[in-house]
């Protein structure tokens, strides 16, 4: 996790908020460093994490996680991390014996179905264990990334329904958190992606939006991060609802600074 | 009209926006966006209706019941009937706990209620319903809901119904939004600038022209509305597109307009290629004053005028 980002969001692993949906979206840049941040953050906060990783392999996240100080292999063995590796398990859909529907069952269906098997998988993974003692703090669901489901033929409304059910179970019932990533293609013709992005924005409590710089690629400033807090618990006029920072990604850290205040420029 | 007499005791300034909104019955659309959310205003309207003694039904699809009731005191909460479609709207759990039939059944059931007295129905949100139901079905249900008092064959006096619908503008195309807009008696579009929220209110009263009004407001933690002055005019970065541009025809160094005499002279002018009867007569019979051209030719000594061979190239 990146300590500077924690300061900006005003959270620490000991004092994480609960029951929140965080939306990560990126436009013209790669915002996946935020996924690594939240993954390591919640593992360090001793939360039970269910990670639906559709984009990259387990070893990719593990390598980056080790740079940030967490071991995914160890977390998986301990039972703290439930990892659905989309790339590997998509082949299992075809070779699995008939029984429980596979979480990625929608890949086999000719007509666009719903994501209920995937939701059941998440609910099963995060349901509290009945041994009486709460081993982990609060359950967390991470998804990387939701836009891929659109490419695989699922409709935007079906994905929104999946997120709705996850929110009802993880955020409301289990008082946990959710972090999802969606790419903003900026393409005016991709209506499904727009519906998904806007629908998720309306459901989220916190939106972290990374954008490439308008002037193009820069060696010292990799992009801009816009933080938008929505649905504060008490509507007040004075609360800072939106902040913008620029950032630079380094090997093991990401440094944030106010716009135009990059150390390379000053 | 709606019995809002109970609210008249408050300072007129604070409640006039809510009063004007709640004065009209029928369907009210609250159009919000990601940056300017509308649920707080919806809750403020619900609080106002509940305080004036109306029954309030809420079709909750987007947030949990606890989150929706948060911020209301117990006497308001007792008047709210919350139909919970947040936990299991599509009946995935199949435990039978979910209300059967889904939100559409609940809507049609509300259409058929027979108890008298004014009632407010809040739809949170219309966007959720529009994404999951066909637009035509939803529009028909909304029309039936908001026009209950004109039901034929129903002898029991049914009170006025007010429907508040929260609509997230970015999620829908212009077609469905236009259809809902044509059903609505009032439309409130939320926006704002520089941290201050504004509501642009469009009222369609029967047999009158639609009225536009803009209020700058802020919602207090107890969901009452505080009207504010708008941001200072000179610091508004964008011009309102409805205001007319600066008149550029003032202070010119040349004359753009014609005087009366000049206009008459221009109108009586005949154009050179216009073929009128006068022109035709003038061409057929050249008058004495006409200037015609003459060619004067003095043949030289070497000129040979031969009518049979003017060009002198025939071998005659």
């Amino acid at each position: 996790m990146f300590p500077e980002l924690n300061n900006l969001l005003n959270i620490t692993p000991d004092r994480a908020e609960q029951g929140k949906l965080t939306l990560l979206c990126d436009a013209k840049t790669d915002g996946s460093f935020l996924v690594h941040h939240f993954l390591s953050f919640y593992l360090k906060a001793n939360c039970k994490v269910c990670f639906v990783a559709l984009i990259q392999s387990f070893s990719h996240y593990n390598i980056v996680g080790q740079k940030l100080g967490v071991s995914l292999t160890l977390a998986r063995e301990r039972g703290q991390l439930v990892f659905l590796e989309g790339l590997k398990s998509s082949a299992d859909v075809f070779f699995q014996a008939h029984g429980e529907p596979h979480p990625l069952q929608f890949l086999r269906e000719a007509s666009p179905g719903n994501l209920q098997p995937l939701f059941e998988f998440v609910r099963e993974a995060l349901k509290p264990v009945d041994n009486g003692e709460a081993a982990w703090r609060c359950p967390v669901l991470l998804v990387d990334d939701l836009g891929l489901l659109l490419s695989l033929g699922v409709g935007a409304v079906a994905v929104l329904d999946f997120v709705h059910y996850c929110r009802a179970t993880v955020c409301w019932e289990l008082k946990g958190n959710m972090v999802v990533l969606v790419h903003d293609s900026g393409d005016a013709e991709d209506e499904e992606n727009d519906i998904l992005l806007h629908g998720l924005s309306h459901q989220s409590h916190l939106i972290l939006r990374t954008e490439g710089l308008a002037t193009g690629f820069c060696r010292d400033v990799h992009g801009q991060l816009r933080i938008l807090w929505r649905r504060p618990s008490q509507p007040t006029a004075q609360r800072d609802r939106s902040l913008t920072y620029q950032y630079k990604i380094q090997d093991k850290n990401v440094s944030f600074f106010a716009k135009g205040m990059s150390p390379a420029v000053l | 009209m709606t019995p809002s007499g109970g609210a008249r005791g408050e300072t007129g300034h604070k409640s006039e926006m809510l009063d004007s909104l709640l004065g009209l019955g029928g369907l009210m659309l609250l159009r919000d966006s990601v940056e300017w959310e509308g649920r707080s205003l919806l809750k403020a309207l619900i609080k106002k209706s509940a305080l004036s003694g109306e029954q309030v039904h809420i079709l909750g699809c987007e947030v949990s019941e606890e989150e929706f009731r948060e911020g209301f005191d117990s006497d308001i909460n007792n008047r709210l009937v919350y139909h919970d479609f947040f936990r299991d709207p599509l009946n995935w759990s199949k435990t039978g706990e979910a209300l059967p039939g889904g939100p559409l059944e609940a809507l049609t059931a509300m259409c058929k209620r027979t108890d008298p007295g004014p009632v407010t129905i809040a739809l949170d949100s219309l966007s959720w319903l529009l994404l999951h139901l066909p637009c035509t079905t939803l529009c028909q249900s909304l029309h039936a809901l908001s026009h209950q008092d004109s039901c034929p064959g129903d002898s029991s006096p049914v009170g006025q119904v007010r429907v508040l619908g929260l609509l997230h503008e970015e999620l829908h195309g212009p077609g469905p939004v236009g259809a809902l807009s044509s059903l609505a008696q009032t439309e409130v579009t939320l926006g704002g600038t520089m941290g201050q929220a504004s509501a642009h209110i469009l009222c369609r009263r029967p047999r009158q022209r639609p009225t536009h009004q803009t209020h700058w407001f802020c919602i207090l933690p107890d969901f009452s509305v505080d009207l504010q002055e708008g941001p200072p005019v000179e610091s508004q970065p964008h011009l309102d597109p409805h205001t007319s541009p600066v008149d550029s025809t003032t202070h010119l160094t040349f004359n753009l307009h014609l005087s009366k005499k000049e206009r008459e002279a221009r109108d009586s002018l005949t154009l050179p290629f216009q073929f009128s009867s006068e022109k035709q007569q003038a061409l057929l019979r050249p008058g004495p004053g006409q200037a015609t051209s003459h060619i004067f030719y003095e043949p030289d000594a070497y000129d040979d005028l031969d009518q049979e061979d003017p060009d002198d190239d025939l071998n005659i």
Side-chain angles (χ1 to χ4, degrees):
Chain A
M1 67 175 186
F2 309 124
E4 289 187 34
L5 184 55
N6 286 342
N7 292 338
L8 292 182
L9 296 176
N10 204 17
I11 51 175
T12 62
D14 310 317
R15 277 193 312 116
E17 286 184 314
Q18 286 186 298
K20 302 290 175 207
L21 167 61
T22 302
L23 172 67
L24 312 173
C25 70
D26 54 15
K28 291 193 196 156
T29 188
D30 184 18
S32 53
F33 69 95
L34 292 171
V35 176
H36 298 294
H37 163 83
F38 280 106
L39 178 59
S40 56
F41 175 87
Y42 283 118
L43 285 175
K44 281 193 183 167
N46 212 27
C47 296
K48 178 146 190 196
V49 177
C50 174
F51 191 2
V52 177
L54 302 171
I55 291 280
Q56 301 278 10
S57 65
F58 178 80
S59 49
H60 170 89
Y61 294 104
N62 198 19
I63 291 171
V64 180
Q66 277 169 357
K67 287 192 197 174
L68 299 179
V70 288
S71 165
L72 296 194
T73 331
L74 196 58
R76 192 163 60 169
E77 281 164 17
R78 285 193 309 180
Q80 189 188 9
L81 174 67
V82 177
F83 196 96
L84 175 66
E85 190 172 346
L87 291 170
K88 232 173 46 169
S89 62
S90 54
D92 294 340
V93 178
F94 300 95
F95 298 117
Q96 190 186 355
H98 290 286
E100 293 264 323
H102 192 273
L104 301 179
Q105 190 66 30
F106 63 89
L107 289 172
R108 289 214 73 164
E109 289 163 13
S111 60
N114 62 18
L115 291 171
Q116 189 175 354
L118 189 57
F119 163 68
E120 300 289 346
F121 169 81
V122 169
R123 196 172 60 153
E124 195 58 38
L126 288 179
K127 76 171 182 211
V129 181
D130 286 337
N131 60 8
E133 196 189 285
W136 313 112
R137 199 186 275 166
C138 63
V140 173
L141 170 65
L142 252 84
V143 184
D144 179 18
D145 69 74
L146 276 180
L148 187 71
L149 295 171
L150 295 179
S151 314
L152 291 172
V154 186
V157 180
V159 181
L160 284 174
D161 288 338
F162 165 71
V163 175
H164 177 106
Y165 268 90
C166 288
R167 199 163 53 97
T169 305
V170 178
C171 293
W172 176 70
E173 196 183 316
L174 300 174
K175 306 280 183 293
N177 289 333
M178 278 176 69
V179 180
V180 298
L181 173 75
V182 179
H183 296 294
D184 184 5
S185 58
D187 194 0
E189 293 173 4
D190 198 346
E191 290 175 4
E192 294 266 294
N193 200 30
D194 281 344
I195 293 176
L196 177 62
L197 190 58
H198 290 133
L200 282 176
S201 306
H202 277 283
Q203 291 187 35
S204 316
H205 298 93
L206 175 65
I207 302 179
L208 295 176
R209 191 184 160 88
T210 51
E211 295 162 348
L213 295 177
T215 44
F217 176 74
C218 170
R219 200 180 49 184
D220 295 303
V221 179
H222 292 149
Q224 190 164 285
L225 175 70
R226 192 161 163 253
I227 309 173
L228 178 65
W229 280 277
R230 292 190 82 248
R231 305 224 299 247
S233 49
Q234 287 299 321
T236 54
Q238 279 81 29
R239 175 153 178 174
D240 273 334
R241 295 161 80 225
S242 167
L243 295 173
T244 308
Y245 293 94
Q246 291 178 339
Y247 62 88
K248 177 177 179 183
I249 303 178
Q250 291 143 354
D251 185 38
K252 293 189 182 181
N253 194 18
V254 176
S255 57
F256 291 87
F257 34 87
K259 276 209 256 194
M261 306 285 275
S262 159
V265 175
L266 292 173
Chain B
M1 294 299 281
T2 314
S4 59
R8 292 277 149 83
E10 294 176 28
T11 50
H13 185 62
K14 283 196 178 184
S15 59
E16 71 184 35
M17 175 169 121
L18 290 184
D19 273 339
S20 68
L21 281 177
L22 294 174
L24 221 56
L27 173 64
M28 182 190 313
L29 278 187
L30 288 174
R31 299 166 68 149
D32 73 348
S33 57
V34 175
E35 276 214 53
W36 303 100
E37 55 93 24
R39 192 165 287 115
S40 327
L41 183 59
L42 179 69
K43 286 169 83 164
L45 288 166
I46 287 173
K47 176 182 170 178
K48 192 74 194 291
S49 305
L51 283 178
S52 49
E54 297 182 10
Q55 213 190 19
V56 182
H57 289 263
I58 301 160
L59 204 73
C61 310
E62 284 198 349
V63 294
S64 64
E65 188 170 349
E66 283 101 6
E67 193 177 332
F68 198 88
R69 286 183 186 270
E70 200 183 313
F72 288 144
D73 11 314
S74 53
D75 54 339
I76 299 177
N77 267 321
N78 291 338
R79 291 185 189 279
L80 304 184
V81 180
Y82 194 88
H83 304 260
D84 187 2
F85 288 101
F86 169 74
R87 246 184 318 155
D88 194 2
L90 305 173
N91 206 16
W92 279 4
S93 62
K94 290 190 174 43
T95 55
E97 277 177 15
L99 299 169
L104 184 59
E105 286 289 318
L107 259 186
T108 33
M110 283 186 213
C111 293
K112 295 195 187 71
R113 58 160 206 125
T114 49
D115 39 294
V119 76
T120 296
I121 300 173
L123 303 174
D124 179 13
S125 64
L126 259 183
S127 284
W128 194 95
L129 293 171
L130 200 52
L131 286 178
H132 290 84
L133 301 171
C135 183
T136 47
T137 317
L138 180 62
C139 288
Q140 284 165 357
S141 307
L142 284 177
H143 183 87
L145 251 189
S146 44
H147 287 79
Q148 257 188 327
D149 39 356
S150 54
C151 256
D154 200 331
S155 57
S156 59
V158 179
Q160 191 188 38
V161 180
R162 183 184 307 114
V163 182
L164 309 172
L166 184 63
L167 189 69
H168 306 306
E169 282 194 299
E170 305 110 327
L171 290 181
H172 311 287
V177 174
L180 288 173
S181 169
S182 64
L183 280 177
Q185 271 70 45
T186 320
E187 268 181 72
V188 183
T189 307
L190 289 151
T193 170
M194 295 186 303
Q196 258 197 318
S198 72
H200 179 85
I201 303 173
L202 166 66
C203 279
R204 290 193 190 96
R205 291 190 172 82
R207 291 182 296 280
Q208 285 182 31
R209 292 168 88 192
T211 55
H212 295 261
Q213 250 186 326
T214 303
H215 292 279
W216 297 89
F217 68 100
C218 140
I219 307 235
L220 303 172
D222 66 344
F223 293 105
S224 53
V225 174
D226 187 22
L227 286 181
Q228 294 175 331
E229 301 294 319
V233 176
E234 58 267 9
S235 63
Q236 274 178 346
H238 306 289
L239 266 183
D240 187 356
H242 295 299
T243 59
S244 58
V246 175
D247 190 15
S248 54
T249 56
T250 53
H251 309 302
L252 287 174
T253 55
F254 48 89
N255 197 9
L256 272 182
H257 304 287
L258 295 172
S259 71
K260 193 158 179 271
K261 264 179 68 175
E262 287 167 336
R263 191 164 296 138
E264 282 170 9
R266 188 185 73 169
D267 288 337
S268 58
L269 189 66
T270 47
L271 295 171
F273 301 108
Q274 224 175 351
F275 197 67
S276 60
S277 56
E278 291 96 3
K279 208 159 187 172
Q280 190 182 24
Q281 297 304 318
L283 284 171
L284 288 174
R285 262 176 281 124
Q290 302 266 337
T292 53
S293 55
H294 292 277
I295 300 175
F296 298 96
Y297 174 59
E298 301 280 348
D300 235 352
Y302 305 103
D303 282 333
D304 179 16
L305 240 82
D306 187 358
Q307 289 300 328
E308 284 189 297
D309 186 12
D311 293 323
D312 207 15
D313 53 359
L314 298 173
N315 204 3
I316 299 169

